[in-house]
């Protein structure tokens, strides 16, 4: 059942014109969308020498339909759903697997895991004080270990988000925890610290330079390894859309060596705030 959810969700995205988590960054801003405002995003990613400890696979990974939908559902809340339509791995090397994948040949593919999240406002940005929010998310195990690309384990994330404008530039910061189910040990989990620190600097009225370091850190277990990636890119606003392009460098053993992400974001007013009923005297 889970494996059919991403395709259904993202096919809906293709039926509407595309304007986010701040693509191409993974670090989230603390600001919420206004009530009724909707952001749709879609992109592709390419990674060189992506490694999978559980299946022992290594190769070049192509991710199609990396997207999400964010909805401002209230003055203090925003709903998010994100994931990937399809991951394709061109296998260049195999090591001894912990769980052997079930496919033949030098290529494999699968749905990406689906992430359901909510962001709650804690404080608005005022003067010297940053905007603050709390975000929690559940990751569904859509990618299976049969393909060699997934763990078949659910995960929970909770983090504090902060963002602050310094003149035209914006600083982003995320700190939280990831609770990951172990794919090899029953009734065990890994608790990892998650972090993200980003910066967006306007270069022009329509162009922003963006960068970040984002990852997770803690006691490593098979399938729950540490991650850390640097992204540097640009956002360009044109034709009612926001286009983005970023280069990626992995810093940990099971991160890809290098990567490239590109995508588009479209924003529109999906519905209006309900009016308060008037009392007639």
């Amino acid at each position: 059942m889970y494996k059919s959810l991403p395709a259904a969700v993202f096919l809906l995205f293709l039926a509407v014109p595309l304007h986010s988590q701040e693509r191409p960054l993974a670090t989230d801003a603390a600001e919420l969308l206004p009530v009724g405002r909707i952001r749709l995003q879609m992109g592709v990613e390419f990674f060189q020498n992506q490694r999978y400890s559980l299946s022992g696979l290594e190769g070049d990974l192509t991710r199609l339909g990396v997207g999400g939908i964010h909805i401002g559902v209230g003055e203090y809340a925003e709903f998010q759903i994100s994931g990937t339509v399809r991951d394709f791995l061109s296998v260049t090397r195999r090591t001894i697997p912990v769980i052997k994948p079930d496919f033949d040949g030098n290529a494999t593919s699968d749905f990406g895991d689906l992430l359901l999240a909510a962001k709650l406002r804690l404080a608005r940005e005022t003067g010297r004080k940053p905007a603050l929010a709390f975000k929690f998310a559940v990751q569904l195990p859509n990618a299976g270990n049969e393909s060699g690309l997934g763990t078949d384990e659910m995960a929970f994330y909770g983090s504090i988000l902060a963002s602050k404008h310094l003149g035209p530039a914006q600083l982003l910061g995320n700190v939280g925890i990831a609770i990951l189910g172990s794919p090899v040990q029953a009734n065990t989990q890994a608790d990892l610290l998650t972090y993200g620190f980003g910066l967006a600097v306007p270069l022009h009225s329509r162009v922003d330079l963006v960068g970040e370091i984002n990852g997770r850190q803690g006691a490593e277990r098979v399938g729950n390894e540490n991650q850390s990636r640097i992204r540097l890119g640009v956002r360009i606003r044109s034709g009612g859309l926001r286009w983005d392009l970023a280069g990626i460098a992995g810093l940990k053993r099971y991160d890809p060596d290098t990567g490239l992400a590109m995508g588009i974001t479209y924003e529109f007013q999906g519905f209006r705030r309900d009016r308060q009923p008037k009392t007639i005297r």
Side-chain angles (χ1 to χ4, degrees):
M1 176 179 177
Y2 286 145
K3 296 183 184 298
S4 64
L5 286 176
V9 170
F10 285 100
L11 285 175
L12 291 176
F13 289 2
L14 299 178
V16 296
L18 295 174
H19 189 244
S20 68
Q21 209 128 337
E22 299 296 313
R23 278 200 61 98
L25 304 181
T27 305
D28 209 336
E31 290 87 354
L32 272 61
L33 288 172
V35 178
R37 201 71 178 168
I38 298 175
R39 284 178 182 166
L40 302 178
Q41 60 184 21
M42 186 65 69
V44 295
E45 296 179 347
F46 307 94
F47 296 109
Q48 291 183 311
N49 297 326
Q50 174 69 60
R51 304 164 187 88
Y52 295 86
S53 63
L54 197 63
S55 61
L57 300 178
E58 180 178 333
D60 296 334
L61 177 67
T62 300
R63 310 187 72 201
L64 301 181
V66 182
I69 178 170
H70 297 192
I71 305 174
V73 295
E75 184 178 354
Y76 295 95
E78 178 182 317
F79 174 73
Q80 302 176 354
I81 179 170
S82 59
T84 304
V85 175
R86 201 75 182 176
D87 287 337
F88 297 88
L89 182 70
S90 177
V91 180
T92 58
R93 183 170 178 263
R94 292 175 182 258
T95 58
I96 298 175
V98 178
I99 298 180
K100 186 177 180 180
D102 184 18
F103 71 91
D104 297 319
N106 295 320
T108 183
S109 67
D110 206 341
F111 292 116
D113 291 336
L114 192 66
L115 192 73
L116 306 177
K119 185 163 62 172
L120 307 177
R121 173 181 286 126
L122 300 179
R124 298 180 185 270
E125 181 178 351
T126 56
R128 296 181 180 180
K129 296 181 180 180
L132 296 175
F134 174 69
K135 180 177 179 179
F136 60 93
V138 175
Q139 182 174 291
L140 303 181
N142 304 100
N145 56 42
E146 298 84 0
S147 66
L149 304 182
T151 64
D152 280 320
E153 292 291 332
M154 295 186 69
F156 173 83
Y157 300 89
S159 58
I160 296 294
L161 319 179
S163 53
K164 183 74 175 73
H165 286 87
L166 297 177
Q170 185 183 36
L171 296 175
L172 307 174
N174 298 173
V175 178
I177 188 171
I179 302 174
L180 312 176
S182 172
V184 295
Q185 292 180 286
N187 302 318
T188 60
Q189 66 186 40
D191 300 329
L192 304 180
L193 173 73
T194 61
Y195 61 88
F197 303 99
L199 175 67
V201 180
L203 300 179
H204 182 270
S205 60
R206 294 180 177 270
V207 181
D208 297 335
L209 176 66
V210 297
E212 74 170 358
I213 181 170
N214 186 280
R216 66 192 193 196
Q217 185 72 31
E220 287 193 311
R221 295 179 178 175
V222 175
N224 304 144
E225 290 79 17
N226 294 332
Q227 298 175 354
S228 186
R229 299 179 184 182
I230 294 175
R231 294 190 183 216
L232 182 64
V234 293
R235 294 195 295 240
I236 302 172
R237 292 172 289 277
S238 177
L241 302 173
R242 188 175 71 198
W243 308 79
D244 62 78
L245 177 67
I248 303 166
L251 304 179
K252 298 293 186 179
R253 178 183 177 186
Y254 288 98
D255 285 323
D257 292 342
T258 58
L260 182 69
M262 61 186 71
I264 55 177
T265 300
Y266 175 56
E267 183 177 322
F268 63 97
Q269 191 67 33
F271 56 92
R272 300 290 179 181
R273 181 197 299 267
D274 291 337
R275 294 183 178 181
Q276 296 295 327
K278 295 182 179 180
T279 301
I280 301 176
R281 294 180 179 178

